[in-house]
Amino acid sequence: MLTGFKDFILRGNVVSMAIGLAVGSAFTAVVTGFSKAFITPLIGLATGSVGDFSEASFTVGETVFPYGLAIAATIAFVVTAAVLYFLFVVPMAKIQAKFAKEEAADPKAEKRDCPRCFTEIPAIASRCGHCTSEVEPLAAALAKAGLEKAGPEKVAVPAAR
């Protein structure tokens, strides 16, 4: 029983997830501290108020509603999300786009109907696979597949492997 638990805990993805949560928690604390130390006072300067929202509240009857805590948490969330987006998401997207491989065009992806039997065939086909009648390949499909016309009637098709 304990061996299975040990295997589960020492599995690579569980350890990575735990490390990620710990780093994320520490990162959130840093960004929250930054927003309390710099962003909130700057908002206070811009609005002409004190800038410390944590003490703001209103009372209805004998119940106190500390709405300032919600405002401070919202500011911390927005700053955290902005920092994560601009420091991690945007650079990672650029790196992934830089190293992404361009997908090769599938020459059989574009389809058309056979003029004789009306079954669906690839647009680059020179013969119908169902009725075996000769058909003229579409020029656009040949260009997309990287094949060129060899003559008025013939198509340069790679040799069978």
Side-chain angles (χ1 to χ4, degrees):
M1 181 179 206
L2 290 177
T3 305
F5 181 72
K6 182 181 82 170
D7 292 342
F8 171 74
I9 293 297
L10 296 179
R11 211 180 281 166
N13 54 0
V14 174
V15 173
S16 297
M17 184 178 66
I19 291 170
L21 286 172
V23 170
S25 175
F27 181 75
T28 301
V30 168
V31 173
T32 302
F34 174 78
S35 67
K36 284 182 181 178
F38 294 105
I39 303 297
T40 303
L42 287 175
I43 292 172
L45 285 174
T47 60
S49 65
V50 178
D52 183 17
F53 299 110
S54 61
E55 299 297 322
S57 64
F58 66 90
T59 306
V60 175
E62 293 185 16
T63 306
V64 177
F65 293 92
Y67 69 91
L69 294 174
I71 292 174
T74 303
I75 292 170
F77 171 76
V78 169
V79 170
T80 302
V83 168
L84 287 174
Y85 180 76
F86 290 112
L87 291 183
F88 294 105
V89 174
V90 171
M92 286 303 291
K94 287 182 180 179
I95 289 170
Q96 287 176 342
K98 185 177 181 180
F99 291 111
K101 293 182 181 178
E102 198 172 305
E103 291 185 23
D106 183 14
K108 294 182 181 180
E110 192 174 336
K111 303 286 185 182
R112 67 176 176 156
D113 289 338
C114 173
R116 300 260 183 341
C117 68
F118 304 107
T119 57
E120 192 175 71
I121 60 173
I124 63 168
S126 58
R127 188 174 292 274
C128 177
H130 300 281
C131 68
T132 69
S133 62
E134 290 188 23
V135 293
E136 184 68 28
L138 296 179
L142 289 173
K144 189 175 184 180
L147 304 173
E148 298 177 8
K149 290 232 179 200
E153 304 279 330
K154 298 188 179 188
V155 176
V157 180
R161 296 176 197 192

